[in-house]
Amino acid sequence: MSRISIITVTYNASDHLRDCLDSVREQDSDIEHILIDGASTDGTLNILDAYKDHLAHVISEKDEGMYDALNKGIGLATGDVIGILNADDFYFSKDTLSRVSEAFSDEHVDAVYGDLVYVDRNNTEKVVRAWRSGEYRPRKFYHGWMPPHPTFFVRHRMYQQYGLFNPELGTAADYELMLRMLLKHGIHAAYIPEVLVKMRSGGVSNQSFKNRLKANLMDRKAWTVNDLSPYPWTLWMKPLRKIGQWVNK
C-alpha cells in the first residue's frame, strides 16, 4: 500500500479546521499530514498545536499565497503519493484514503481522482452540489471538463518530473497543473466512482461575475503556458458544466 502525504494550507482557518484534521487522523492508511500556515492570527495555531502528535510538519510563516504554500508542502513530502486537502474540506469516510492507496497498487497508475460533494458550510450533511467526474478521456478537457482538485492524488515523482504549482495562475493554478499533467504529458489517471471529499460551499472564483471573468482569463492562460489551444467554447463550457452539479445532486 502506498504512503500518502496530505498537504493542507491554512490561514485564519480556525472555524472548520478541526473537521479537516479529524478526517485525516481517522483514516486507516499510512499517512503523512503536512500543514503549511500563512502566519495565522486567529486560533489556527492553537488548534494545530493540539494536533501536533498527528502532524508530520507544521510551518507557520508569511508566504506568497496558497500555491506557494502548497509547493512548500510538496517539498517536505516523503510519501509515494501526494494529495491536497483544503482546511475547510474533509474526507467522505474513514476508508477514503485506503481506497486511493488501493488504486495506486497498479504501478501503471500515475494519478487517481474521484467525485466530490459541496455541502452547506454549517450543516455538512446537507449536499448543495454533486460533482461526478466520470472516466477521463483527453478530449474531455476541450469540452470544459476537469476533475475536482481535492480528489486528485498524484504520485510524488510526477511533481518531480513535470513540475509544481504555478502561483502566477492564481485560482487557476490547480486547473493548470491537472491540464499539464493529464493532457499535455498524458499521465495515466484512474477514476474512483465514489465521493472522496466533502467541500464546504463558497469558492472564491465563483462569488461574482467579476471573479468568474477573472478566473476565465486565468483558465485561458493555463492553456497558453502549456502551448495548448482550447476550442472557442472550451473555457465557457467549464463553468457551464457546473449547472448539472445542482440538477443531479
Side-chain angles (χ1 to χ4, degrees):
M1 300 290 276
S2 299
R3 189 181 199 214
I4 302 177
S5 296
I6 301 299
I7 302 169
T8 298
V9 171
T10 57
Y11 180 69
N12 291 346
S14 61
D15 286 352
H16 304 294
L17 180 57
R18 289 182 186 275
D19 288 346
C20 167
L21 298 174
D22 285 338
S23 81
V24 177
R25 183 185 61 176
E26 293 169 356
Q27 295 296 307
D28 56 357
S29 300
D30 183 8
I31 301 166
E32 171 186 63
H33 198 183
I34 298 170
L35 267 292
I36 310 296
D37 179 74
S40 290
T41 56
D42 65 349
T44 295
L45 296 181
N46 291 332
I47 294 173
L48 295 180
D49 185 63
Y51 283 77
K52 62 184 178 182
D53 291 342
H54 305 284
L55 301 174
H57 298 279
V58 177
I59 293 179
S60 182
E61 61 187 17
K62 292 288 187 181
D63 53 48
E64 299 302 317
M66 175 180 177
Y67 295 101
D68 174 51
L70 286 174
N71 287 342
K72 289 181 185 179
I74 294 170
L76 292 170
T78 63
D80 308 301
V81 172
I82 295 176
I84 311 297
L85 187 66
N86 301 323
D88 278 358
D89 306 341
F90 51 98
Y91 291 118
F92 186 78
S93 66
K94 295 180 180 180
D95 66 348
T96 292
L97 294 186
S98 65
R99 299 278 288 115
V100 171
S101 181
E102 181 182 355
F104 278 106
S105 63
D106 182 343
E107 63 181 17
H108 297 102
V109 170
D110 301 314
V112 167
Y113 68 94
D115 299 335
L116 175 149
V117 290
Y118 291 85
V119 295
D120 184 88
R121 294 193 69 78
N122 299 312
N123 178 10
T124 58
E125 296 303 314
K126 180 181 178 181
V127 174
V128 179
R129 293 161 55 188
W131 188 338
R132 295 182 177 88
S133 304
E135 294 286 348
Y136 171 65
R137 296 188 303 278
R139 302 309 296 182
K140 292 177 76 170
F141 268 109
Y142 289 89
H143 297 281
W145 180 90
M146 66 176 284
H149 185 242
T151 76
F152 189 66
F153 297 82
V154 188
R155 289 196 190 274
H156 196 160
R157 65 172 183 262
M158 294 295 104
Y159 284 103
Q160 296 168 330
Q161 188 169 353
Y162 299 122
L164 306 179
F165 290 96
N166 182 348
E168 294 182 4
L169 271 291
T171 57
D174 50 7
Y175 176 58
E176 187 277 327
L177 182 129
M178 293 186 289
L179 187 72
R180 184 194 334 146
M181 290 196 175
L182 292 172
L183 184 60
K184 182 176 182 177
H185 294 295
I187 72 172
H188 184 215
Y191 170 51
I192 298 176
E194 60 187 63
V195 176
L196 302 183
V197 174
K198 285 187 174 184
M199 171 182 277
R200 285 183 168 86
S201 57
V204 173
S205 64
N206 299 312
Q207 286 176 353
S208 69
F209 178 77
K210 181 180 179 180
N211 284 340
R212 184 58 254 169
L213 182 61
K214 182 179 179 181
N216 184 275
L217 293 173
M218 285 298 173
D219 289 345
R220 187 172 300 278
K221 188 175 180 181
W223 288 74
T224 301
V225 298
N226 285 297
D227 297 318
L228 297 169
S229 299
Y231 294 152
W233 59 82
T234 298
L235 301 174
W236 295 110
M237 282 296 297
K238 185 168 172 278
L240 288 174
R241 289 178 68 97
K242 295 178 181 178
I243 294 173
Q245 296 174 10
W246 278 281
V247 174
N248 298 315
K249 71 187 178 79

